[in-house]
Amino acid sequence: MTGVLVLAGTPIGQAGDAPPRLAAELAGADVVAAEDTRRLRRLTTDLGIELGGRVVSYFEGNESARTPSLVEALLNGDRVVLVTDAGMPSVSDPGYRLVAAAVEAGIRVTAVPGPSAVLTALAVSGLPVDRFCFEGFLPRKAGERSRRLADLGAEQRTMVFFEAPHRTEAALEAMRDVFGAERAAAVCRELTKTHEEVRRGPLGDLVTWAADGIRGEVTIVVAGADPAAAVATDPASLRAAVAGLEESGMRRKDAIAAVAVQAGIPKRDVYQVVHIDD
């Protein structure tokens, strides 16, 4: 018989938030694949358990190379528990490759549900939760980041992003430039930890707040677009919208793309309107 792959959620802050099954799964695993073996040891100490199986590291740098050996262990009947530093494996963390390979090999995949920064931030944000989308980390390069956000210009669902603390101010600035300074948002920092902070307000205000520096794990929640606030498609409105984005520092090409999404028309139509006098 083949083994079982268990995706185990770990606390995003306090060890007391660990799901009850986590300790039993870790203690009974034949193999524990951990994003950071040192954090795993601290977690097992907090949970008061000892690991009986072998421990292997499984992180972004070795994920591709280590997946085949873990699949082999599963095919040989091992129970493999996968944990990341915090939250659910494979959600902007290692795990997707192993899950895909296990499914392809006909191996059972199950989970120990646990804390999630995505859902926790969404719940405390004060923004609509009936429909939402998770966008993970934005690109690091400014141009790519602006283009990604431009593609989301007309997104009506509440959006959830992860971000590194040292890039949070730049991410908020890009969001302000694309979504508008008045778009409601929340920056959730160090969720469930001692220094937890949730800052809510318009993107313009959050940019000012973030200028003092951000520390800790960051999740950003942004309200979706208001259908009634879509950019009008008449030439004057389109040119004004593009000009406004350019004044905020966005390249004309990216500004045209963002306005096209917000107006719901092809980019070439906006381009022609903007360049009609060129």
Side-chain angles (χ1 to χ4, degrees):
M1 294 180 62
T2 58
V4 179
L5 173 61
V6 182
L7 309 178
T10 55
I12 61 176
Q14 301 182 36
D17 292 336
R21 278 181 49 210
L22 178 60
E25 286 288 357
L26 288 172
D30 298 302
V31 181
V32 178
E35 184 178 9
D36 187 327
T37 56
R38 292 169 299 181
R39 289 199 182 192
L40 172 65
R41 297 296 181 186
R42 288 198 294 270
L43 177 61
T44 56
T45 298
D46 290 338
L47 296 177
I49 61 171
E50 293 186 5
L51 300 177
R54 63 187 176 96
V55 175
V56 299
S57 63
Y58 190 75
F59 58 96
E60 184 178 2
N62 71 358
E63 192 175 357
S64 296
R66 184 142 286 172
T67 292
S69 62
L70 290 174
V71 171
E72 182 179 0
L74 288 161
L75 290 172
N76 288 333
D78 284 349
R79 192 174 187 87
V80 176
V81 176
L82 174 63
V83 293
T84 57
D85 290 348
M88 286 300 297
S90 80
V91 180
S92 285
D93 274 324
Y96 167 74
R97 290 183 177 86
L98 180 57
V99 172
V103 170
E104 185 177 0
I107 296 164
R108 181 186 170 214
V109 179
T110 187
V112 176
S116 166
V118 177
L119 296 180
T120 303
L122 181 68
V124 303
S125 69
L127 298 173
V129 299
D130 53 332
R131 298 176 65 232
F132 71 94
C133 59
F134 174 56
E135 291 295 324
F137 286 93
L138 289 169
R140 297 183 181 185
K141 295 183 178 179
E144 294 177 5
R145 181 168 55 229
S146 294
R147 286 190 287 275
R148 174 76 62 81
L149 291 171
D151 290 339
L152 295 168
E155 176 58 66
Q156 296 180 24
R157 295 173 294 180
T158 299
M159 296 167 282
V160 183
F161 303 85
F162 284 163
E163 193 49 271
H166 63 280
R167 291 196 299 269
T168 297
E169 182 183 4
L172 290 170
E173 288 177 343
M175 292 174 181
R176 175 201 61 193
D177 294 344
V178 174
F179 301 145
E182 297 305 313
R183 181 76 70 89
V187 179
C188 306
R189 187 181 69 84
E190 294 290 88
L191 284 169
T192 77
K193 300 177 183 177
T194 302
H195 300 291
E196 176 182 274
E197 181 179 16
V198 180
R199 196 80 174 192
R200 305 174 183 88
L203 283 169
D205 291 353
L206 292 175
V207 169
T208 302
W209 165 76
D212 292 333
I214 303 292
R215 292 184 178 181
E217 301 291 332
V218 174
T219 305
I220 302 174
V221 187
V222 183
D226 180 356
V231 174
T233 57
D234 62 280
S237 296
L238 294 174
R239 282 195 290 268
V242 171
L245 292 178
E246 285 187 286
E247 289 174 3
S248 70
M250 188 178 293
R251 295 188 310 170
R252 174 168 289 189
K253 179 180 178 181
D254 295 332
I256 288 173
V259 171
V261 171
Q262 294 167 1
I265 61 177
K267 286 190 292 185
R268 64 177 180 274
D269 292 352
V270 181
Y271 180 90
Q272 290 172 353
V273 167
V274 171
H275 291 87
I276 192 169
D277 296 324
D278 291 357

